[in-house]
Amino acid sequence: TLFLAGGKWRYEQLGLTAVEMQDLESSKLNTNNIFTAHGVPLSVAGVERAANYATARIDQMNFRKHTIAPLLGLIEDTLNTDLVTGFDPRLRLRFSLTGLNDVEQVSTEYGPLFDRGVYSINELREKAGDKRIDDLMYDQHFISAQYVPLELAGITDLGKTEAAARSIIER
């Protein structure tokens, strides 16, 4: 509250009254409860800011993985059982969920295992939520077996490789 002095006193309200603040908090609580009930993180909805980029990214990926993907699965199943099978029982509707999966996380966690021959390309594709490719090369297991010293990295075999290796050994 502010009283302005002068020839006449004038009352100016600068902030909210206790009742207005209580209404505002009640409205905010209702919004938070609605988003929480539907599994939407408040940072994803833009209601609150995430603590940092990593927190916001985790919130977004959890929302995609645990809220959107199951909901799309439910919609897909409902469409297939109620609509598609009525036309032809052999038909099946499939949603592509590749955009909902965290490909960066899959490559970080499973990339080293691919390099050591544990996973094939098709297995990595499945981990990323993509469908398999019908090709024998995609089902092969590869290993990164050529370890090259830094001094030899990038040297092509123009007769210089053996000489470079000998000079390293002689050092």
Side-chain angles (χ1 to χ4, degrees):
T1 304
L2 171 73
F3 291 101
L4 298 175
K8 298 180 180 177
W9 287 85
R10 195 171 77 193
Y11 171 79
E12 286 283 331
Q13 181 179 343
L14 297 177
L16 300 174
T17 65
V19 173
E20 290 171 333
M21 288 177 62
Q22 189 173 10
D23 287 343
L24 187 62
E25 284 298 317
S26 175
S27 173
K28 185 177 175 183
L29 180 64
N30 286 340
T31 303
N32 292 354
N33 288 340
I34 290 169
F35 281 106
T36 303
H38 291 286
V40 180
L42 297 175
S43 63
V44 172
V47 176
E48 288 183 0
R49 290 188 176 266
N52 55 34
Y53 173 77
T55 305
R57 188 171 182 287
I58 289 170
D59 282 348
Q60 187 179 48
M61 291 315 302
N62 284 337
F63 175 62
R64 289 179 185 181
K65 185 177 184 179
H66 299 294
T67 303
I68 298 296
L71 187 61
L72 287 177
L74 179 67
I75 293 170
E76 182 181 301
D77 288 343
T78 304
L79 286 174
N80 281 319
T81 55
D82 296 347
L83 181 69
V84 176
T85 55
F87 288 105
D88 188 349
R90 296 172 295 164
L91 295 178
R92 180 114 175 108
L93 176 73
R94 293 224 168 229
F95 290 154
S96 174
L97 304 179
T98 54
L100 295 177
N101 295 320
D102 189 1
V103 177
E104 182 182 344
Q105 179 187 4
V106 171
S107 65
T108 302
E109 289 179 2
Y110 299 106
L113 296 173
F114 170 76
D115 290 342
R116 287 167 181 81
V118 176
Y119 286 110
S120 68
I121 296 173
N122 269 334
E123 290 168 332
L124 282 180
R125 290 177 61 83
E126 286 177 340
K127 294 275 186 202
D130 212 352
K131 61 184 177 180
R132 296 176 73 87
I133 294 178
D134 190 24
D135 187 342
L136 289 176
M137 289 300 289
Y138 283 77
D139 290 321
Q140 293 291 320
H141 292 263
F142 297 93
I143 188 164
S144 178
Q146 280 190 330
Y147 291 102
V148 178
L150 283 176
E151 291 86 359
L152 295 178
I155 296 176
T156 58
D157 192 12
L158 300 173
K160 300 177 185 177
T161 307
E162 253 181 68
R166 264 192 234 112
S167 68
I168 292 170
I169 292 170
E170 289 172 3
R171 277 195 251 163

